Amino acid sequence: MTRCVTGGHDFPYEDETGAYCHEHGVTLLWHGDPVTRDDLSPCPAPSTAYVPRDRPPSDVADDAP
């Protein structure tokens, strides 16, 4: 049995297509084989170019009075 993510109990209704918890309104549908780590694309490298939103980038002239 699969556990209800909201109630922490087994889903009262479960078959080969999915599971449903009427008490919490949670539905899980099975869509083929489970996803594995090999199915996921690698995360992009973190960007080091962070510019705070309260000021312009240093290469932009600020002609405001």
Side-chain angles (χ1 to χ4, degrees), residues 5-27:
V5 295
T6 303
H9 55 83
D10 289 340
F11 277 98
Y13 307 100
E14 184 174 356
D15 61 17
E16 67 278 348
T17 63
Y20 177 68
C21 175
H22 181 74
E23 179 183 354
H24 298 105
V26 176
T27 302

